[in-house]
Amino acid sequence: MSLIEIKHVNKGYKLGEETVPVLKDINFTVEKGEFVAILGPSGSGKTTLMNIIGCMDVLDSGEYFLNGRAIHEMRESELTQVRNKEIGFIFQNYQLIPTYNVMQNIIMPLLMRGMIHKEAVAQCQDIVKLLGIDHRLGHRPNELSGGQKQRVSIARALASKPSILLADEPTGALDTTSGQEVLKLFCELNEMGNTIVMITHDMNVAKSAKRIVKIIDGELLAEQ
Ligand SMILES: Nc1ncnc2c1ncn2[C@@H]1O[C@H](COP(=O)(O)OP(=O)(O)OP(=O)(O)O)[C@@H](O)[C@H]1O
Ligand SMILES: [Mg+2]
């Protein structure tokens, strides 16, 4: 069984009376342990596809199975549960809470799920060491570099032990060196068994993945 199985998915946006098609008959499979990049120009539908993979948006037609479960048949409440449990999101702009320190940002999703504070902190110890942010735990996001902020957001994503790390332009706000460090980290996390789906418009970024799939004007083309 594949981790992600997307079959004949279509998605459009309503513009007045009309629906503008954005994703057109998408077929896409990801196996557990893969590191895949979805590469495409601006407006090609990358974020729309990521929102569907991340159970943040529903498709118009087609099927989406995640870990064998039929996402396309789920109601909003079920989707929220699956999203929290299965998906670790990483965004271009980090989406950290500015008034929380690093540790609070990382454990917040665990606390929201009812884990006690001590246990949540214990669960994150190895992760913060691995990501080299263990000496920054008391700092607020505005006291960190861009690369450090992204490592905090990766730590937050990993803390919930998701099935997939889903990253939308994770290096988009970083300088070349910090971007390369984040990509190297993704490679290491993948070597450790994490499944990663990374969305980017930049071929040089996509090259870090083990497989590249191109999206052009809402259609997926396999590469290589
Ligand atoms: N909520 C929306 N309502 C209407 N149209 C939308 C909406 N979101 C996206 N679109 C349109 O869908 C198309 C694909 O958008 P999407 O954000 O998925 O592209 P993208 O590949 O992520 O682009 P970028 O690289 O600029 O982030 C675009 O033409 C966009 O204008
Ligand atoms: Mg986008």
Side-chain angles (χ1 to χ4, degrees), residues 13-15 22 40-49 169 201:
Y13 292 110
K14 284 220 163 57
L15 209 69
V22 174
S42 181
S44 57
K46 300 184 298 294
T47 298
T48 305
L49 180 57
E169 301 281 5
H201 69 280

Side-chain angles (χ1 to χ4, degrees), residues 8 35 38 80 118 223:
H8 300 295
F35 181 6
I38 299 173
T80 304
K118 207 172 149 189
E223 204 187 73

Side-chain angles (χ1 to χ4, degrees), residues 159-202:
S160 312
K161 302 182 174 153
S163 304
I164 310 162
L165 288 176
L166 194 52
D168 194 357
E169 301 281 5
T171 62
L174 299 175
D175 60 77
T176 313
T177 310
S178 315
Q180 287 300 331
E181 278 168 18
V182 164
L183 292 171
K184 188 163 158 265
L185 185 59
F186 277 174
C187 292
E188 287 165 11
L189 292 170
N190 176 242
E191 292 296 324
M192 294 166 69
N194 292 286
T195 309
I196 304 174
V197 176
M198 176 174 73
I199 284 162
T200 182
H201 69 280
D202 186 341

Side-chain angles (χ1 to χ4, degrees), residues 39-111:
L39 174 68
S42 181
S44 57
K46 300 184 298 294
T47 298
T48 305
L49 180 57
M50 162 153 167
N51 288 343
I52 285 178
I53 295 172
C55 305
M56 291 202 285
D57 202 356
V58 291
L59 36 84
D60 294 340
S61 65
E63 294 178 313
Y64 173 21
F65 297 93
L66 175 60
N67 265 327
R69 298 177 69 193
I71 303 296
H72 54 282
E73 291 172 352
M74 288 184 183
R75 287 173 288 121
E76 186 54 43
S77 57
E78 286 175 288
L79 285 177
T80 304
Q81 272 191 349
V82 172
R83 184 164 61 230
N84 288 339
K85 186 163 171 286
E86 308 280 359
I87 317 280
F89 290 98
I90 296 156
F91 300 99
Q92 176 170 355
N93 59 1
Y94 327 117
Q95 300 204 2
L96 301 174
I97 298 174
T99 54
Y100 282 14
N101 70 28
V102 166
M103 182 51 99
Q104 289 166 332
N105 266 283
I106 295 170
I107 65 174
M108 189 265 299
L110 301 178
L111 300 180

